[in-house]
């Protein structure tokens, strides 16, 4: 179904002062106005209450004038779209894209330059973007800044990350807007790269809640050939201004007309479930550019991975000896190398035995002795295995067991080096039949001076996904800029980490129990996250008595994350031997789906709790995940999402009565019930706990 209604409304030869746009249900209204000095401005209201006060629009150009003032309106055209589309993989098999649009065509009187601003109003928010039409006087140009503002209506509660141009691997700070201050917090992102742009600069998506209980989220969609937008907070006047991430010489974006900016998005609702379940960011991206998507498949995987994070083995082959610049064949093996053929075969056996699609192997390739901290150009070639990893043998073995291998390309931030080797890396991956690659960008970027969130890096991540599509490979990027819906256009960009993942619980002060209740309102809006859940051995002192690190959840909450943290590529991150200790709980990870036909957000409050039910694609099975922060939680859930008249066997994996994320995290109970769509279930979640339920129809 596609309904498009277009109309060129008005042709102005005079100055028009104001134009309104309403969402399909009319709850949201955006007003566009030419303000003082001919500056384009907008404001937004929700149910007639002001949400965004009059705010400036426009961009500044390097070396010439601005594209932010002295404008008059040429014309305004209207369009309404109501269409459905089907994602290749997703939270639901059908997505509705329903909005009203106005396109305002402007001319700058002083220069004769043209700028269009396109506004869309959806039922869960508004979006706008700049269009730079082809014109004589504006061909190649450099954006030195964006004037885009978001003037808030009050001192809202804010969930913010410090504006680090190089990393989004932080915990959320929850403060009032006036208390945003990166100087007041511990800026350790755990990976040693810090490029904090300013004391009051924060990252988007920025989730907020107003005093009148309106949920508000500022983000962006379709960041393509443009830098990431961070936000500069004027904490006294409750204003946010776009802060584009610069390149090595301070420029923001190099563009050529005709071109567009990303969409700036403002989601709002008095029901938090509307934000967390919104498909607005995906809707604002282009449809798939891959015609044959039959090779893009969801994957549940295990990996030679956590054992390095907990220090049981190492990525490198030669241990702690200083192996800088030594030839691989001269390295003296430490005996602790995780990615050796025998160990990898053990994981393949485990994957085959328990029905996992794939096995990730990190540390298989030469270079890890010297991968981090030296800001070195040529670290990896992405094709040379260590002497104890037999590529052919491992792959033959995996094939014989019906298991697929997942390639790992850690770039250690040396991106020019990766691009030089990219096709050879992809050829090798394709030759051995790996379906997907996990990439990584730990460390400072080379070319030196560039940031992870700058325009050229955004182009790099997108290019890697596009080039991978030529090889029919799926990409899961870590330490990239956070996704903004590009997985709609390149569905082989199957997942990304791009936030503080579960790994931080292995070796740092970790992720507080509320962390996973915020990510779905922020990071997850732009695309699936490879959070790597499923850690059963919660305390790291089981590996080494001196360790104090721990996962900040109960075991039952680790199960619930498979449902609350959407990804079609989902890892069972713990060690095989740990799963063998808890086979009854492990059953949920084996059963849970990763691709869905329906998702129902049943309860949601950012920073507190989230309850989601999802129906597996191509199946009648449902799965439910409920998580809480550091507070215990009791709730009654109606099972009215189940098919009426059908009886289901419900297996409930819950925290025991004495469970607690810190004091007693592994304590859980499993019970089996018979339920139908008229049943209710009482959930009792421990502090830092969760509940996971599988519902299978009784034949
Ligand atoms: C950081 C990634 O997030 C992690 O998953 C990986 O193991 C290390 N880098 C090494 O590549
Ligand atoms: Ca990471």
């Amino acid at each position: 179904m596609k309904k498009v209604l277009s109309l060129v409304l008005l042709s102005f030869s005079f100055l028009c002062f104001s134009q309104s746009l309403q969402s399909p249900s009319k709850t949201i209204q955006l007003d566009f106005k030419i303000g003082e000095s001919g500056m384009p401005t907008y404001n937004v209201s929700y149910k007639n209450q002001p949400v965004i006060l009059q705010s400036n629009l426009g961009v500044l150009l390097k070396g010439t004038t601005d594209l932010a003032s002295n404008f008059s309106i040429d014309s305004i055209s209207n369009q309404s779209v109501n269409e459905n589309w089907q994602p290749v993989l997703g939270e639901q098999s059908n997505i509705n894209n329903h909005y009203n649009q106005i396109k305002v065509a402007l001319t700058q009187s002083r220069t004769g330059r043209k700028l269009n601003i396109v506004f869309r109003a959806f039922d869960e928010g508004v979006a706008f973007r700049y269009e730079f039409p082809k014109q004589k006087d504006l061909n190649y140009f450099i954006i030195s800044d964006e004037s885009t503002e978001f003037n808030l209506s009050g001192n809202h509660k804010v969930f913010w990350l410090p504006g680090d141009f190089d990393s989004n691997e932080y915990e959320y700070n929850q403060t009032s807007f006036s208390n945003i201050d990166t100087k007041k917090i511990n800026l350790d992102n755990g990976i040693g790269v810090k490029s904090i742009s300013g004391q009051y600069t924060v990252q988007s998506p920025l989730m907020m809640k107003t005093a009148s209980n309106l949920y508000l989220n500022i983000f962006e969609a379709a960041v393509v050939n443009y830098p990431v937008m961070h936000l500069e907070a004027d904490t006294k006047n409750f204003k946010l201004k776009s802060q584009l991430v610069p390149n090595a010489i301070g420029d923001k974006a190099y563009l050529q007309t005709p071109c567009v900016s990303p969409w700036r998005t403002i989601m709002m609702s008095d029901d938090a479930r509307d934000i967390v379940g919104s498909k607005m960011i995906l809707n604002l991206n282009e449809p798939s550019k891959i015609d044959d998507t039959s090779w893009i498949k969801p994957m549940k995987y295990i990996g030679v991975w956590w054992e390095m994070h907990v220090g049981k083995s190492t990525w490198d082959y030669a241990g702690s000896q200083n192996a800088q610049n030594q030839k691989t064949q001269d390295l003296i093996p430490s005996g602790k190398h995780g990615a050796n053929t025998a160990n990898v075969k053990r994981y393949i056996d485990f994957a085959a035995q328990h029905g996992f699609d794939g096995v990730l192997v990190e540390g298989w390739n030469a270079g890890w002795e010297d991968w981090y901290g030296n800001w070195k150009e040529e670290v990896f070639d992405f094709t040379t295995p260590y002497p104890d990893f037999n590529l052919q043998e491992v792959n033959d073995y995996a094939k014989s067991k019906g298991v697929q291998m997942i390639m790992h390309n850690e770039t250690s931030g040396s991106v020019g080096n990766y691009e030089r080797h990219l096709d050879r890396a992809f050829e090798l991956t394709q030759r051995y039949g790996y379906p997907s690659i996990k990439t990584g960008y730990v460390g400072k970027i080379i070319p030196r001076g560039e940031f992870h969130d700058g325009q050229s890096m955004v182009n790099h991540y997108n290019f890697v996904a596009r080039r991978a599509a030529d090889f029919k490979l799926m990409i899961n990027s870590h330490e990239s800029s956070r996704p903004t819906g590009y997985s709609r256009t390149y569905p082989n960009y199957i997942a990304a980490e791009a936030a503080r993942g579960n790994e931080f619980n292995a070796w740092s002060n970790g992720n507080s129990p509320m962390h996973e209740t915020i990510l779905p309102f922020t990071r997850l809006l732009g695309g699936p996250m490879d959070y790597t859940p499923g850690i059963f051995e919660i305390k790291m002192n089981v590996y080494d008595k001196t360790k104090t690190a721990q996962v900040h959840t109960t075991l039952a909450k680790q199960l619930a994350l498979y449902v609350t943290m959407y990804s079609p590529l989902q890892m069972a991150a713990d060690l095989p031997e740990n799963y063998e200790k808890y086979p009854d709980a492990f059953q949920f990870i084996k059963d849970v789906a990763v691709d869905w036909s329906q998702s129902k957000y049943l309860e949601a409050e950012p920073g507190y709790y989230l309850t989601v039910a999802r129906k597996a694609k191509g199946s009648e099975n449902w799965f439910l995940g409920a998580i809480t922060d550091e507070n215990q939680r009791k709730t009654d859930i109606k099972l009215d999402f189940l098919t009426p008249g059908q009886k289901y066997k419900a297996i409930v994996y819950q925290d025991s009565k004495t469970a607690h994320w810190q004091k007693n995290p592994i304590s859980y109970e499993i019970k089996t019930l018979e339920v139908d769509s008229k049943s209710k279930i009482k959930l009792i979640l421990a502090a830092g706990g969760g509940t996971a339920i599988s519902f299978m129809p009784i034949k």
Side-chain angles (χ1 to χ4, degrees):
M1 174 193 69
K2 178 164 179 158
K3 247 179 37 207
V4 179
L5 213 80
S6 297
L7 185 71
V8 174
L9 243 198
L10 295 161
S11 200
F12 290 76
S13 52
F14 54 91
L15 267 184
C16 169
F17 290 107
S18 171
Q19 174 70 38
S20 298
L21 172 70
Q22 287 187 324
S23 61
S25 67
K26 303 197 179 352
T27 36
I28 300 177
Q29 176 162 328
L30 179 143
D31 290 290
F32 172 81
K33 224 189 266 175
I34 294 289
E36 259 174 60
S37 322
M39 192 140 200
T41 72
Y42 75 105
N43 56 278
V44 184
S45 63
Y46 178 84
K47 296 186 179 166
N48 298 319
Q49 295 303 309
V51 176
I52 301 290
L53 313 181
Q54 190 171 3
S55 302
N56 291 335
L57 295 168
V59 298
L60 305 185
L61 307 183
K62 189 180 180 184
T64 58
T65 55
D66 61 72
L67 270 179
S69 66
N70 200 224
F71 278 113
S72 60
I73 301 174
D74 287 338
S75 67
I76 298 178
S77 52
N78 263 17
Q79 194 179 44
S80 291
V81 168
N82 189 0
E83 63 180 2
N84 290 322
W85 60 279
Q86 289 71 42
V88 179
L89 307 171
E91 291 186 85
Q92 56 203 64
S93 44
N94 193 50
I95 293 179
N96 181 234
N97 182 24
H98 191 190
Y99 62 83
N100 295 327
Q101 170 177 303
I102 53 171
K103 185 196 266 201
V104 184
L106 302 167
T107 297
Q108 194 171 40
S109 317
R110 197 172 55 231
T111 61
R113 282 188 181 145
K114 308 237 174 258
L115 173 72
N116 301 333
I117 311 180
V118 185
F119 297 93
R120 286 186 184 171
F122 299 79
D123 278 337
E124 70 272 34
V126 296
F128 57 86
R129 78 165 5 157
Y130 303 107
E131 277 186 5
F132 307 96
K134 185 139 198 74
Q135 50 198 291
K136 214 170 106 237
D137 193 27
L138 196 67
N139 185 15
Y140 289 100
F141 64 106
I142 302 173
I143 293 195
S144 59
D145 211 348
E146 222 184 90
S147 315
T148 311
E149 289 177 346
F150 309 87
N151 291 337
L152 306 174
S153 61
N155 193 12
H156 308 330
K157 174 162 116 178
V158 195
F159 299 89
W160 56 274
L161 303 178
D164 187 336
F165 292 159
D166 268 318
S167 176
N168 34 43
E169 298 193 326
Y170 286 94
E171 281 234 82
Y172 288 90
N173 299 280
Q174 199 183 140
T175 71
S176 62
F177 193 87
S178 59
N179 277 327
I180 291 174
D181 188 348
T182 63
K183 290 261 167 0
K184 283 193 199 152
I185 59 160
N186 172 15
L187 280 177
D188 186 13
N189 62 7
I191 58 164
V193 186
K194 265 172 269 165
S195 315
I196 304 294
S197 52
Q199 191 173 352
Y200 305 107
T201 308
V202 293
Q203 303 199 29
S204 77
L206 190 66
M207 186 66 208
M208 292 175 273
K209 188 178 181 183
T210 73
S212 54
N213 295 327
L214 181 77
Y215 300 88
L216 185 61
N217 184 292
I218 295 182
F219 189 26
E220 56 182 340
V223 180
V224 178
N225 193 26
Y226 210 82
V228 167
M229 178 180 73
H230 288 219
L231 296 164
E232 203 183 305
D234 172 348
T235 54
K236 293 204 177 60
N237 299 302
F238 313 138
K239 290 182 175 197
L240 290 162
K241 187 176 166 292
S242 157
Q243 152 104 248
L244 300 179
V245 174
N247 69 5
I249 57 166
D251 295 334
K252 306 288 169 63
Y254 300 112
L255 301 176
Q256 185 183 10
T257 57
C259 55
V260 292
S261 76
W263 293 95
R264 277 68 189 88
T265 63
I266 309 163
M267 292 185 202
M268 64 201 80
S269 177
D270 49 20
D271 186 338
R273 294 175 303 174
D274 294 339
I275 308 262
V276 76
S278 169
K279 295 290 158 276
M280 197 173 118
I281 301 297
L282 284 180
N283 278 331
L284 288 163
N285 278 267
E286 298 281 311
S288 174
K289 296 214 160 124
I290 302 175
D291 295 331
D292 169 19
T293 56
S294 57
W295 51 276
I296 300 171
K297 300 241 166 65
M299 280 186 104
K300 225 188 291 178
Y301 72 102
I302 59 167
V304 181
W305 181 74
W306 190 246
E307 61 173 73
M308 282 87 91
H309 284 271
V310 300
K312 191 183 156 213
S313 67
T314 59
W315 279 272
D316 56 65
Y317 168 74
S320 58
Q321 68 166 284
N322 183 357
Q324 245 175 289
N325 302 324
Q326 280 205 45
K327 294 214 173 75
T328 304
Q329 64 266 27
D330 298 334
L331 296 172
I332 304 153
S334 68
K336 273 199 88 184
H337 182 219
N340 64 75
T341 303
N343 194 33
V344 173
K345 282 185 172 175
R346 183 172 72 91
Y347 277 79
I348 294 171
D349 287 339
F350 187 81
Q353 188 191 341
H354 296 285
F356 286 90
D357 304 297
V359 175
L360 164 77
V361 181
E362 295 199 358
W364 69 275
N365 58 324
W368 288 90
E369 280 75 24
D370 197 17
W371 78 289
Y372 180 67
N374 294 323
W375 214 13
K376 194 178 147 185
E377 182 101 16
E378 285 176 35
V379 186
F380 298 110
D381 68 12
F382 313 94
T383 50
T384 308
Y386 276 129
D388 61 346
F389 180 80
N390 188 323
L391 200 54
Q392 188 67 51
E393 190 181 333
V394 162
N395 280 281
D396 289 348
Y397 191 72
K399 277 203 185 71
S400 76
K401 298 274 176 173
V403 172
Q404 295 184 301
M405 301 304 292
I406 299 178
M407 177 51 76
H408 185 228
N409 287 172
E410 171 60 62
T411 68
S412 61
S414 187
V415 173
N417 180 55
Y418 188 41
E419 288 183 355
R420 285 192 288 278
H421 289 87
L422 195 74
D423 275 16
R424 275 167 283 177
F426 285 2
E427 270 155 28
L428 176 106
T429 305
Q430 197 186 44
R431 186 167 359 116
Y432 285 97
Y434 291 57
S436 69
I437 304 188
K438 171 178 171 178
T439 59
Y441 298 91
V442 170
K444 293 209 267 182
I445 298 298
I446 304 177
R448 297 177 181 83
E450 293 297 327
F451 296 113
H452 283 72
D453 282 357
Q455 182 188 21
S456 66
M457 283 306 295
V458 165
N459 288 348
H460 168 82
Y461 311 125
N462 291 347
F463 168 70
V464 168
R466 288 199 303 273
R467 189 68 182 134
D470 297 337
F471 288 80
K472 291 195 167 36
L473 294 170
M474 299 186 281
I475 293 292
N476 165 27
S477 63
H478 279 224
E479 297 83 34
S480 58
S481 58
R482 78 283 186 275
T484 56
Y486 201 57
S487 58
R488 178 178 178 191
T489 314
Y490 282 90
N492 67 316
Y493 200 164
I494 185 169
E497 186 191 41
R500 193 173 170 105
N502 221 3
E503 62 182 10
F504 275 77
N505 284 315
W507 37 255
S508 76
N509 57 350
N511 305 342
S512 66
M514 79 166 176
H515 188 62
E516 295 99 349
T517 69
I518 303 170
L519 287 168
F521 294 89
T522 53
R523 162 66 187 80
L524 275 283
L525 296 175
M529 177 168 180
D530 187 32
Y531 187 72
T532 65
I535 301 302
F536 281 10
E537 272 309 343
I538 301 285
K539 303 222 178 197
M540 301 310 126
N541 60 15
V542 300
Y543 304 104
D544 170 351
K545 283 201 181 58
T546 63
K547 284 194 176 176
T548 54
Q550 76 158 99
V551 174
H552 293 61
T553 75
T554 61
L555 184 149
K557 183 170 171 181
Q558 288 291 309
L559 297 180
L561 293 177
Y562 285 92
V563 190
T564 60
M565 207 73 91
Y566 166 67
S567 180
L569 178 84
Q570 200 69 277
M571 186 175 204
D574 212 335
L575 309 179
E577 52 269 38
N578 290 340
Y579 290 132
E580 274 158 1
K581 288 187 227 161
Y582 309 99
D584 53 353
F586 185 45
Q587 190 59 43
F588 182 81
I589 302 182
K590 289 163 64 171
D591 290 341
V592 71
V594 290
D595 191 24
W596 311 96
S597 59
Q598 286 182 58
S599 289
K600 308 250 179 201
Y601 286 88
L602 305 174
E603 303 175 303
E605 181 62 33
Y608 289 89
Y609 56 82
L610 187 69
T611 307
V612 196
R614 303 191 198 267
K615 189 179 186 200
K617 204 181 263 177
S619 150
E620 288 303 312
N621 294 346
W622 282 82
F623 295 87
L624 179 143
I627 58 168
T628 181
D629 62 356
E630 68 283 4
N631 298 301
Q632 197 206 46
R633 179 156 200 269
K634 292 188 185 144
T635 180
D636 289 314
I637 298 293
K638 284 196 211 141
L639 303 183
D640 54 5
F641 51 85
L642 297 173
T643 305
Q646 173 68 56
K647 291 240 173 283
Y648 294 81
K649 178 172 132 183
I651 309 176
V652 183
Y653 303 76
Q654 64 186 20
D655 298 314
S656 77
K657 287 193 181 61
T658 58
H660 182 282
W661 69 271
Q662 196 171 27
K663 293 181 216 135
N664 192 18
I666 301 183
S667 187
Y668 62 89
E669 289 165 1
I670 300 174
K671 62 182 184 198
T672 302
L673 311 169
E674 195 176 303
V675 298
D676 60 26
S677 64
K678 297 201 181 93
S679 313
K680 264 190 185 174
I681 289 195
K682 184 169 219 52
L683 307 183
I684 303 178
L685 285 66
T691 303
I693 310 178
S694 58
F695 300 92
M696 326 259 185
I698 297 171
K699 301 261 154 46

